[in-house]
């Protein structure tokens, strides 16, 4: 196994001064390793970040709550704080006009972009009724076959939904397993597991949820798959990192029935429902040799037997043919070093109920037809000479690896890796069905990294040929699963070669992961940089479901010229700048002067606010400045001791610029516009850590606020002398990563914080803090600012997992008090 534990990450985490790679001018759709490293850098300081966030959540119990939109104190917090937590994910929030317990934040979007989704349920009694789980956005429900989604289970806090199952007898009963147990934290080198906290159940179609596993149990930190017995609804099976667990009493007690004692535990279950007992397969193991086990009567004490285990066999997906359950398929990733590491090892088939010794290798990675072997690799980059591209083998079988068999044809098999493939000959050969790198308007486009393939309950291969797919971009559908995939020798090279047509079902599905956001002066246009989905553009007029993808790569900071909004700015990883001069319709890559310069993965930049919007400041190893709208850049400082992580410009005196670093330093320059590469900026260091944001008080610019991400130490600091000295101002704020601060421009005592557990507010300049508990509670909030709204000043929040939001500001004299019953 190649564990990409980056040396760069280790250096940055320990010293925050490491020389990171220059910005990548190859505009890939994402850079997941570096994105994960960046988030790890912002969560340093705790040996167990999950436990630290749990402690912060407990501290929130004792805090008051406040509603911005109603200007009322909530004397008892209505926030549920005893449920699950995930560093990367957030699950609570209400869309559109749905209010929180008081007042409301308004969802701005995007509802049409999606995010990492590993599971989809379609009710066989009413196929219009669907449920899904966003790994970054919690549990969602549609009553219109995906035409619109709404979040449910909002009383659960930050669950990382990884698996779901529906009771086959009572479809109001649904189980949701939390924790993404596919070792992203090791492969991506972050040491930040996307941990869950057990299994939750609803018995009223999602209206209410209850945990059915022991709170905090390490056996259920990562629930990879769930199955409900077709013979006894109280019997549930869970595949977790510690094996296969069974309950016979709807979750009151659990027994481990399979302990494979292998890295990865058990990742997938396949249930055969046509026998008198619970006939169950389990696939266990990821980076050690994997094994497929079978229990013909899993409900009893019948021992599990190993039926398939090949040398170098890694994560293995399973599928039983519904029309002939004696036929079972397995697709295994390879742990062998070389080109196929985490690519395809083989596709195997048993026609004898999965008996040991009956598994036939139908396709292996030594096939002379090279394209066939790309099932678990990135097909485009692996193609090399086939498509006249530079060859790079990127195996993804540890992460995206799924199989499904056509309900009416046991020889028609779908395989999902980075792209989708289909076989019509029982797994001997496959055609390319989808193209992740095609344009979003190409018929064969589906987002990369497939996680689930689900047939419509009424699929019959003739009048109904609908199949659903979930991936890192949300939910997709094809209505003609029998269309011809691409099978010629150059199948990966051109999206038009596949006759498949995919459409997105990301409608009001608000699980996008933002890093930063901006709003136009009239409050009608929004711009945001995201993880995995580049830079996005939305408008009030078009609505939440009509955001546009305007720049590729991983998005970062953005800006809209407040005087001439046709000028917009964005970036992808490593400070790769771009500019639009026509309101976002067209973009041009800028900043050739910055080639080879060092930047954080998400590099901070800001626009000069004092009618000098041609000037922008960009932070890397040093400060950079442009005075011609990003056409040309020049260095404006000597190198800093750590990479720059935050920048702010005085609102009325553009000579005063301040910058924070990933090492905790804060620098200031009172003659910044004339600074050169020889100018040393005076430094102070209130504390070590990651300076996540800086903000001037707009009515008293000698007052500046700074926030620190990570754990440990004071998270909010204030300077009353334009940045010369700093004083902590965290008050009763829990110890958790703080990502952004915003100052109310009229009621300057009121401050807002964006944190890993949602938005906090202070009405006394940070002396005391309250939970702002009226909208998307507990969503990771990366970017927070006050700007002109469509109907007046508003506070805007761009979250990492639940999209963008706005709350209209009320300018209080004294807030009212209201007690909330819960």
């Amino acid at each position: 196994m190649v564990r990409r534990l980056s040396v760069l990450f280790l250096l940055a985490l320990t010293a925050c001064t490491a020389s990171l790679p220059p910005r990548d001018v190859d505009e890939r759709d994402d850079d997941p390793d570096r994105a994960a490293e960046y988030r790890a850098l912002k969560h340093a300081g705790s040996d167990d970040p999950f436990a630290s966030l749990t402690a912060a959540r407990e501290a929130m119990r004792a805090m008051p709550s406040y509603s911005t939109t109603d200007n009322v104190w909530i004397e008892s917090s209505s926030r549920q704080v005893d449920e699950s937590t995930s560093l990367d994910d957030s699950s609570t929030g209400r869309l559109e006009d749905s209010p929180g317990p008081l007042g409301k934040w308004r969802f701005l979007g995007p509802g049409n972009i999606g995010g990492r989704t590993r599971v989809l349920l379609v009710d066989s009694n009413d196929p219009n009724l669907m449920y899904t789980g966003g790994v970054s956005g919690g549990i969602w429900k549609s009553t219109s076959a995906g035409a619109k989604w709404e979040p449910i289970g909002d009383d659960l806090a930050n669950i990382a939904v990884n698996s779901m199952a529906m009771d086959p007898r009572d479809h109001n009963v649904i189980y949701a397993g939390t924790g993404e147990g596919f070792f992203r934290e090791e492969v991506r080198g972050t040491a930040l597991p996307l941990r869950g906290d057990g299994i939750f159940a609803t018995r009223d179609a999602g209206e209410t949820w209850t945990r059915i596993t022991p709170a905090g149990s390490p056996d259920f930190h990562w629930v990879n798959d769930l199955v409900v017995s077709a013979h006894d609804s109280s019997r549930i099976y869970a595949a977790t990192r510690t094996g296969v667990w069974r309950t016979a009493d709807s979750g009151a007690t659990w027994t481990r029935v399979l302990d494979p004692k292998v890295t990865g535990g058990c990742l997938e279950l396949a249930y055969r429902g046509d026998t008198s007992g619970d006939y169950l397969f389990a696939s266990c193991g990821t980076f050690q040799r994997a094994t497929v086990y079978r229990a013909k009567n899993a409900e009893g004490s019948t021992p599990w037997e190993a039926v398939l285990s090949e040398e170098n066999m890694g994560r293995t997906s399973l599928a039983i043919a519904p029309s002939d359950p004696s036929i079972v398929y397995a697709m295994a990733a390879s742990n062998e070093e070389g080109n196929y590491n985490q690519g395809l090892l083989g596709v195997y088939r048993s026609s004898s109920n999965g008996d040991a010794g009956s598994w036939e290798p139908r396709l292996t990675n030594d096939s002379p037809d090279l394209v066939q072997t790309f099932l678990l690799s990135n097909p485009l980059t692996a193609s090399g000479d086939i498509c006249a591209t530079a060859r790079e083998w990127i195996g993804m079988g540890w992460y995206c690896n799924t199989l499904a068999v056509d309900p009416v044809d046991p020889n028609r098999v779908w395989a999902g890796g980075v792209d989708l493939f289909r076989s019509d000959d029982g797994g001997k050969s496959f055609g390319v069905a989808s193209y992740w790198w095609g344009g979003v308007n190409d018929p064969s486009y589906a987002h990369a990294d497939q996680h689930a393939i689900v047939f419509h309950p009424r699929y019959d291969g003739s009048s109904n040929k609908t199949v659903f797919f979930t991936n890192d971009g949300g939910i997709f559908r094809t209505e003609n699963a029998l269309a011809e995939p691409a099978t010629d020798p150059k199948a990966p090279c051109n999206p038009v070669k596949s006759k498949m047509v995919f459409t997105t079902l990301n409608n009001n599905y608000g699980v996008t992961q933002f890093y930063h956001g901006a709003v136009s002066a009239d409050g009608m246009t929004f711009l945001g940089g995201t993880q995995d989905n580049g830079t996005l553009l939305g408008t009030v007029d078009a609505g939440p479901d009509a955001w546009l993808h305007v720049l590729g790569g991983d998005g970062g900071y953005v800006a809209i010229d407040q005087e001439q909004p046709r000028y917009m700015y964005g970036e992808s990883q490593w400070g790769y700048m771009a500019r639009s001069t026509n309101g976002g319709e067209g973009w041009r890559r800028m900043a050739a002067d910055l080639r080879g310069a060092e930047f954080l993965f998400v590099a901070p930049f800001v626009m000069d606010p004092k009618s000098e919007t041609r000037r922008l400041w960009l932070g890397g190893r040093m400060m950079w400045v442009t005075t011609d709208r990003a056409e040309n850049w020049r260095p404006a400082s000597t190198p800093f001791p750590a990479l720059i992580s935050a920048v702010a410009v005085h609102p009325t005196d553009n000579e005063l610029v301040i910058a924070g670093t990933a090492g905790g330093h804060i620098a200031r320059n009172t003659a910044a516009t004339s600074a050169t590469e020889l100018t040393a900026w005076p430094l102070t260091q209130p504390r070590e850590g990651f300076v996540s944001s800086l903000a001037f008080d707009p009515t008293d610019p000698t007052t500046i606020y700074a926030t620190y991400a990570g754990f440990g130490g004071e998270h909010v600091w204030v300077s009353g002398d334009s940045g010369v000295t700093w004083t902590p101002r965290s008050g009763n704020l829990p110890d958790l990563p703080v990502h952004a601060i915003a100052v109310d421009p009229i009621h300057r005592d009121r401050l807002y914080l964006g944190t890993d557990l949602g938005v906090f507010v202070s009405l006394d300049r940070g002396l005391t803090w309250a939970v702002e508990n009226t909208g998307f509670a507990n969503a990771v909030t990366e970017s927070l600012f006050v700007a002109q709204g469509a109907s007046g000043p508003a506070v805007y929040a761009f979250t990492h997992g639940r999209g963008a939001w706005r709350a209209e500001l009320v300018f209080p004299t004294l807030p009212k008090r209201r007690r909330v019953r819960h």
Side-chain angles (χ1 to χ4, degrees), residues 1 17 41 84 108 156 280 285 445 463 489-490 498 516 545:
M1 170 214 170
T17 59
L41 190 60
S84 104
L108 302 176
L156 301 181
L280 200 62
Y445 168 80
S463 62
K490 292 190 175 183
S498 170
H516 193 252
D545 283 336

Side-chain angles (χ1 to χ4, degrees), residues 342-354:
Q342 298 310 314
L344 179 70
L345 177 68
V347 176
Y348 305 88
R349 168 174 156 153
S350 168
S351 299
S352 302
N353 307 302

Side-chain angles (χ1 to χ4, degrees), residues 47-385:
D47 293 334
D48 188 345
F50 183 93
S52 296
L53 279 183
T54 299
R57 202 180 295 278
E58 289 296 319
M60 291 166 63
R61 286 180 180 271
M63 296 180 67
S65 292
Y66 172 80
S67 166
T68 293
T69 53
D70 286 336
N71 184 30
V72 295
W73 284 106
I74 308 169
E75 295 185 8
S76 178
S77 175
S78 63
R79 184 186 298 246
Q80 296 279 345
V81 296
D82 57 349
E83 303 297 351
S84 104
T85 305
S86 169
L87 282 176
D88 190 51
D89 308 288
S90 57
S91 68
T92 56
R94 300 182 185 273
L95 298 182
E96 298 272 350
D97 296 324
S98 300
L102 298 167
K104 58 191 175 185
W105 287 64
R106 183 174 295 277
F107 179 65
L108 302 176
N112 60 314
I113 300 299
R116 189 161 77 253
T117 304
R118 286 194 171 274
V119 62
L120 177 72
L121 301 179
V122 184
D123 191 320
S124 58
N125 293 337
D126 178 6
N128 288 317
L129 189 58
M130 305 168 73
Y131 300 86
T132 192
V135 176
S136 295
I139 305 172
W140 295 71
K141 179 178 180 178
S142 174
T143 58
S144 55
K148 185 176 182 180
W149 295 89
E150 296 291 348
I152 59 175
D154 279 356
D155 55 341
L156 301 181
N158 291 357
I159 60 176
V161 179
N162 188 59
S163 55
M164 297 180 77
M166 181 179 287
D167 186 328
R169 296 185 176 184
D170 183 351
H171 292 189
N172 289 318
V173 179
I174 301 165
Y175 300 93
T178 63
E180 190 179 35
F182 301 99
F183 291 93
R184 281 174 59 95
E185 75 275 13
E186 293 193 23
V187 178
R188 299 307 190 200
T190 68
L192 288 174
L194 304 184
R195 195 169 107 185
D197 196 10
I199 302 169
F200 297 84
T202 178
R203 305 189 186 282
D204 50 19
E207 292 295 321
T208 59
W209 294 84
T210 305
R211 181 172 17 224
I212 63 168
T213 51
S217 170
D219 291 318
F220 297 95
H221 283 170
W222 294 276
V223 182
N224 297 317
D225 204 359
L226 291 168
V227 164
V228 182
S229 170
H231 308 295
D232 183 347
S233 297
S234 64
R235 199 160 52 238
I236 309 163
Y237 300 88
T240 82
R241 276 194 185 177
T242 59
V244 176
W245 293 78
R246 181 186 67 208
T247 178
D249 50 20
S250 300
T253 59
W254 290 84
T255 302
R256 181 161 49 194
V257 295
L258 176 60
D259 182 4
K261 293 183 171 63
V262 65
T263 299
C266 297
L267 293 97
E268 185 160 342
L269 300 171
Y271 185 83
R272 178 175 172 176
D274 66 323
T275 64
S276 59
D278 289 341
Y279 200 115
L280 200 62
F281 292 88
S283 173
C284 307
T286 303
F287 302 123
Q288 292 176 309
R289 182 170 176 170
T291 300
V292 176
Y293 297 89
R294 182 186 66 182
K296 292 183 178 180
N297 295 97
E299 74 280 4
S301 58
T302 303
W304 290 69
E305 58 177 324
V307 295
L308 174 64
S309 185
E310 298 289 327
E311 185 178 0
N312 296 315
M313 186 165 143
R315 179 185 168 187
T316 301
S317 54
L318 301 169
I320 299 172
S323 61
D324 184 353
S326 66
I327 297 176
V328 189
Y329 291 89
M331 179 169 62
S334 173
N335 287 334
E336 185 178 11
E337 297 297 329
N339 289 341
Y340 286 99
N341 180 256
Q342 298 310 314
L344 179 70
L345 177 68
V347 176
Y348 305 88
R349 168 174 156 153
S350 168
S351 299
S352 302
N353 307 302
D355 291 346
S358 70
W359 294 83
E360 173 194 357
R362 305 286 279 183
L363 173 66
T364 58
N365 63 23
D366 58 2
S367 169
D369 186 347
L370 192 63
V371 172
Q372 301 293 317
T373 70
F374 295 164
L375 265 63
L376 295 176
S377 300
N378 185 324
L380 180 66
T381 63
S383 295
D385 294 342

Side-chain angles (χ1 to χ4, degrees), residues 116 566 594 706 716 725 792:
R116 189 161 77 253
R566 69 178 184 276
L594 301 177
V716 183
T725 60

